[in-house]
Amino acid sequence: MLMKTLTAKLFRFITPGVQFLIVSISLVSGILPAQNIDSAALAKKNIVAVRVANPPKIDGRPDEAIWKEAPAATDFVEYGPRNGTLPELRTEIRFAYDDVALYILAVMFDPRPDSICKELGRRDQVELLNTDYISFDILPYNDGLNMYEFKVTPANLQNDCKYSAIGQDITWDAVWENATQITDSAWISELKIPYSALRFPMIENQVWGINMWRNVHRYHEYSTWSWVDNKSQDIFRYYGTLSGIREIKPPVRLSFSPYISGYVEKNPENRNWSYFLRGGLDLRYGLNESYTLDMMLIPDFGQVQSDDQVLNLTPFEIRYDEKRQFFTEATELFNKCEIFYTRRVGSLPKNFFGAGDSLRENERVSQNPEQTRIINATKVSGRNSHGLGIGIFNGMTTNTWAKLEDTISGATRKVMTQPFTNYNVLVFDQNLKNTSYVTLINTNYWTPADGYSANVTGMETSLKNKKGNFQFFGRFNLSQKYTEGIQPDFGHQYVVSVSKPNGKFQCELLRGETGNTYDPNDMGYITYNNEVYNKVRFSWYDFDPKGKIINSQTNLQLLYLTLYKPNDFKTVDLNINNSITFVNYWTNVLSAGYQPLGFNDYYEPRMWGKFYKMPVNYSGEWRLATNDRKPFRYHHNAGFMNSPEDLHFKYYFGFTPRVRFSDRFSVTIDMQFEKDLNNYGWVTTQEDAYMIPSVYFGRRDITTISNILSAKYIFSTKTSISLRARHYWSQADYLAFYTLENNGSLTSSAFIDGQDINFNAFTVDLQFVWYFAPGSEMSVVWKNVINTWGDQLEQNYLADLGNTLSAPQSNSFSVRLLYYLDYQYIKKVFSKKQPVRA
């Protein structure tokens, strides 16, 4: 009966949408006939680098003799919007090398140099700018999995990142040189990429995978030297090769980055300003041609951008993005199996809230650090010529103490909130044929003083066939928790999927299972366990321009979720979305969701054995973005969720205008509003005289407003100033209270006073950065933080903002100087011959 009802409801919901999609696809597909492609022009290519005795001067001028001798990589092929056709403009690229570096000369011909887009920005922000660029993708092991990307813009701005089997690492920074000039017929870029920035096998004849991407932004045109099919997710399989590099040796890769920073700070609990200095060192050493040691001694993260804190009424921990460079750079191996959440290292002490529970009469908490102090962090990572990647991470935090003060006598005492803790990750990752891989990873969390350790072991593999039209993905994780004198806890999680990842039609079938005792949260992050997850997805991609449409994408996804133990029903969730980019480069996205049998929420009650039954509901969203090449860019989002049976209705909308006043100055405002009417959620759990618990829910209206002002002024590619100011305001107005019954329904209960919430988070981050030498920088940062929490609701936004700004706040002003020292440069300076004395 359940399946019959479900099938009928899904059919009624799907049929109109499917009919509309079929008609739309048929109409769009008939606008233009398929284009014939010359298969010879689309074959993989090879370019040869030539050895030079004297390296070219990196000045953006193609006048050295070597650039006239080196063969040119030409015949670029358009990637988008018209895949497989000849691009509008011609490109020529040449390669040279010596024992120190790879040299590149790129000439991007353009008969209208005054129309070249060249907005300035900060390093690694090229994709967000209104600018042309040329990108060099280098795979030294030619393995189709691990790639180094170097981008250059006409304004001489650098962008570098790494790619691996699990995605992109935009935080990776190498030390390399480039120079650019714009002539009357082209823009020209010259690069020097030292071998110390790359990892490559120690063999006589190097053959590197390579491709070059050119972006002509005013045409929204992307072209590649070696053709790439834009209907395939596996782009590396189309890359060409760079040959001719012979008899080079990986250099000694040793660099030091000492730093010193000074802080002036004032916190609400202290009347006076505090002053202090910090100093430390980052060390990077190439153990061999494949593996690198990174070590951080006495780290300083005081200048990291403030977290975007939110009002959290859910039973789950909020996951914040990692912004500390050491934990974001060269960490792709450690992200396998999703069991290492780097924010755990140096996070909130485990017994932070226990400080308040330890108070005696007349005592108060005078000091309670919100972060454990990292005393050392070390990682070793890399990949050898056989495709074996090895990663080792170890971090240590010292004892963390809260200080309690007697308000009468002034005496103080300390309470430990977290003892010395060691964090360790070990991973082995082997490349296989056809850009496949297999991974084994282990994380270990250890607090010796508590006699406690947590261990999670994971295995993951991705297997693809030669054509790249079939993929199998599998993962199995095992969690183990050991406490002295207590029986250990074990838990498991697995995910398996098969998919067709290329072509216009793509699909995926996935099943995941998370056991009820699986817990990786000492070093990882998971919101909830005890779930079985089944998904089927169908996707239709059309990247061939037709009429008014440049490209489109449609996805249909069906989810079926149950508990793992017992096998109780959670929900059936149907989602459909469509994205279309038009010839004016406006993008329109529509999506809809439907839960025809409602949703059984086993987590909101905060007690196993209880659940809240949310009735049938449906949702929709509309997003629109205008052409980002224009000085004024506009983006909006609007959506809703409706559950008619319990009158639960949520709607939200947001506007994000951006104005680019010049190639140096731009301002963005992100304004978001959300109203959640008749939202039902947990309030408290109480026990009666017989220790029988009762779970109480509340019906509340939640209003949330978030405004973010971002502005930047770029003086040059080396210096910039940026401002980010955020005000987040969320209120929960409780209207009624209920007792949660065993069948998931609610019955009226007495009103519980004092539950209303008024939460504000206000932050300002103002930063000036000067890259005064390769790899070296000076940064000046001012940070302001205000957080308020109360039960008095405010109806006026400006009044609330005024109250927030007048609340106690934290201020920090800091200056940090970091200098990059490379062993090769130091050796060169000290090895110079001294003049002979007469």
Side-chain angles (χ1 to χ4, degrees), residues 26-192:
S26 300
L27 291 174
V28 171
S29 300
I31 294 175
L32 284 177
Q35 185 174 7
N36 294 325
I37 300 175
D38 183 358
S39 59
L42 308 184
K44 287 186 179 182
K45 300 174 182 175
N46 178 72
I47 185 64
V48 178
V50 297
R51 177 178 278 276
V52 292
N54 299 309
K57 183 179 179 181
I58 306 303
D59 55 7
R61 301 180 182 277
D63 47 12
E64 281 102 342
I66 184 60
W67 297 131
K68 296 179 175 59
E69 300 172 7
T74 58
D75 300 328
F76 275 56
V77 181
E78 193 167 318
Y79 174 81
R82 296 166 181 81
N83 189 250
T85 64
L86 291 177
E88 187 78 16
L89 304 174
R90 190 163 56 93
T91 307
E92 291 184 358
I93 300 177
R94 292 173 168 83
F95 295 88
Y97 74 98
D98 60 12
D99 292 330
V100 177
L102 176 70
Y103 304 93
I104 306 174
L105 177 73
V107 182
M108 281 61 65
F109 291 95
D110 196 321
R112 297 171 54 195
D114 56 328
S115 299
I116 295 174
C117 300
K118 50 184 182 298
E119 182 184 1
L120 283 166
R122 296 180 64 174
R123 180 172 179 160
D124 294 339
Q125 294 183 339
V126 167
E127 294 284 358
L128 304 176
L129 303 175
N130 178 46
T131 184
D132 291 13
Y133 64 75
I134 185 71
S135 175
F136 305 92
D137 294 1
I138 301 175
L139 295 86
Y141 290 97
N142 199 21
D143 55 7
L145 284 171
N146 299 277
M147 182 265 284
Y148 301 87
E149 179 186 75
F150 302 88
K151 280 192 179 85
V152 178
T153 75
N156 205 37
L157 182 65
Q158 288 185 348
N159 195 114
D160 46 17
C161 68
K162 288 172 65 177
Y163 283 79
S164 66
I166 58 173
Q168 181 184 24
D169 177 12
I170 61 174
T171 63
W172 177 78
D173 286 330
V175 177
W176 50 289
E177 300 177 44
N178 63 280
T180 302
Q181 69 158 327
I182 299 177
T183 69
D184 58 358
S185 61
W187 69 276
I188 303 171
S189 189
E190 201 169 13
L191 290 79
K192 175 185 178 181

Side-chain angles (χ1 to χ4, degrees), residues 330-511:
T331 57
E332 63 274 6
L333 282 173
F334 304 106
N335 293 327
K336 294 294 183 77
C337 292
E338 298 182 1
I339 59 175
F340 182 33
Y341 176 38
T342 56
R343 287 289 294 260
R344 297 293 185 210
V345 186
S347 63
L348 188 76
K350 283 293 183 73
N351 197 35
F352 174 81
F353 298 103
D357 298 335
S358 303
L359 290 174
R360 299 170 184 167
E361 188 177 358
N362 300 322
E363 281 188 333
R364 72 178 184 93
V365 179
S366 61
Q367 187 177 353
N368 193 10
E370 295 184 359
Q371 295 178 337
T372 54
R373 186 165 66 90
I374 302 173
I375 53 178
N376 176 262
T378 303
K379 61 177 182 271
V380 174
S381 61
R383 191 175 300 273
N384 65 20
S385 58
H386 301 291
L388 176 62
I390 298 177
I392 303 172
F393 170 86
N394 197 82
M396 293 179 284
T397 58
T398 189
N399 295 332
T400 305
W401 302 87
K403 183 185 291 186
L404 310 183
E405 180 184 12
D406 190 299
T407 57
I408 297 176
S409 66
T412 62
R413 65 186 180 94
K414 296 192 300 182
V415 174
M416 183 178 290
T417 55
Q418 183 165 320
F420 168 87
T421 305
N422 190 82
Y423 306 80
N424 185 266
V425 184
L426 175 64
V427 55
F428 298 95
D429 181 76
Q430 178 63 55
N431 291 347
L432 304 175
K433 289 183 178 180
N434 304 322
T435 67
S436 303
Y437 69 87
V438 61
T439 300
L440 178 66
I441 183 171
N442 176 265
T443 66
N444 181 267
Y445 172 95
W446 181 41
T447 52
D450 291 340
Y452 173 77
S453 67
N455 210 62
V456 182
T457 303
M459 177 173 284
E460 179 178 290
T461 186
S462 174
L463 304 174
K464 302 176 184 177
N465 65 351
K466 188 174 182 180
K467 293 182 178 180
N469 58 9
F470 176 83
Q471 179 178 3
F472 169 83
F473 176 84
R475 174 191 297 159
F476 181 82
N477 295 338
L478 176 68
S479 67
Q480 308 158 71
K481 302 174 73 171
Y482 301 93
T483 305
E484 240 176 67
I486 300 177
Q487 192 73 13
D489 291 331
F490 298 92
H492 76 280
Q493 180 191 64
Y494 75 80
V495 178
V496 291
S497 74
V498 291
S499 63
K500 178 181 180 292
N502 67 2
K504 287 191 173 184
F505 173 74
Q506 301 182 18
C507 58
E508 179 185 24
L509 182 64
L510 180 147
R511 177 180 171 87

Side-chain angles (χ1 to χ4, degrees), residues 627-835:
N627 190 341
D628 65 353
R629 193 174 65 84
K630 303 295 184 181
F632 177 79
R633 178 185 182 273
Y634 167 78
H635 172 270
H636 82 237
N637 61 289
F640 73 94
M641 190 286 299
N642 188 30
S643 180
E645 186 176 324
D646 60 2
L647 302 180
H648 182 189
F649 183 74
K650 178 173 72 174
Y651 64 94
Y652 58 90
F653 54 85
F655 306 94
T656 310
R658 184 223 57 199
V659 181
R660 189 176 65 250
F661 295 97
S662 69
D663 282 340
R664 299 178 183 272
F665 180 45
S666 65
V667 176
T668 303
I669 302 175
D670 184 358
M671 301 172 287
Q672 302 291 326
F673 176 85
E674 180 180 293
K675 192 78 169 183
D676 196 351
L677 301 171
N678 294 318
N679 172 284
Y680 291 83
W682 176 87
V683 175
T684 186
T685 301
Q686 297 178 356
E687 294 180 342
D688 62 15
Y690 300 97
M691 305 298 290
I692 299 176
S694 294
V695 178
Y696 294 95
F697 267 49
R699 178 168 59 87
R700 59 216 178 182
D701 290 347
I702 303 173
T703 306
T704 302
I705 298 175
S706 174
N707 292 306
I708 302 175
L709 170 66
S710 302
K712 63 179 181 179
Y713 189 87
I714 311 299
F715 300 97
S716 70
T717 56
K718 306 298 182 185
T719 57
S720 65
I721 187 169
S722 62
L723 169 70
R724 187 179 191 270
R726 173 182 183 262
H727 178 222
Y728 172 91
W729 177 34
S730 189
Q731 288 193 145
D733 182 8
Y734 281 83
L735 308 172
F737 295 89
Y738 307 87
T739 300
L740 179 65
E741 304 297 339
N742 291 331
N743 63 357
S745 64
L746 301 174
T747 58
S748 295
S749 177
F751 199 86
I752 306 175
D753 290 328
Q755 299 302 314
D756 292 344
I757 300 172
N758 184 6
F759 174 74
N760 283 271
F762 182 86
T763 58
V764 178
D765 292 83
L766 179 64
Q767 182 183 50
F768 171 81
V769 178
W770 173 32
Y771 298 100
F772 59 88
S776 305
E777 68 177 64
M778 183 187 76
S779 55
V780 181
V781 173
W782 175 62
K783 299 174 69 174
N784 176 273
V785 178
I786 306 172
N787 291 320
T788 66
W789 180 289
D791 59 5
Q792 297 299 312
L793 303 183
E794 177 63 65
Q795 302 303 317
N796 184 280
Y797 176 80
L798 293 178
D800 178 83
L801 178 59
N803 293 335
T804 302
L805 295 177
S806 62
Q809 53 191 273
S810 298
N811 282 280
S812 171
F813 179 81
S814 59
V815 179
R816 186 171 189 263
L817 183 68
L818 179 144
Y819 196 81
Y820 175 82
L821 296 170
D822 183 78
Y823 167 78
Q824 299 293 336
Y825 176 77
I826 298 173
K827 178 182 177 181
K828 183 178 179 180
V829 170
F830 284 95
S831 64
K832 288 182 178 179
K833 293 183 178 181
Q834 301 296 322

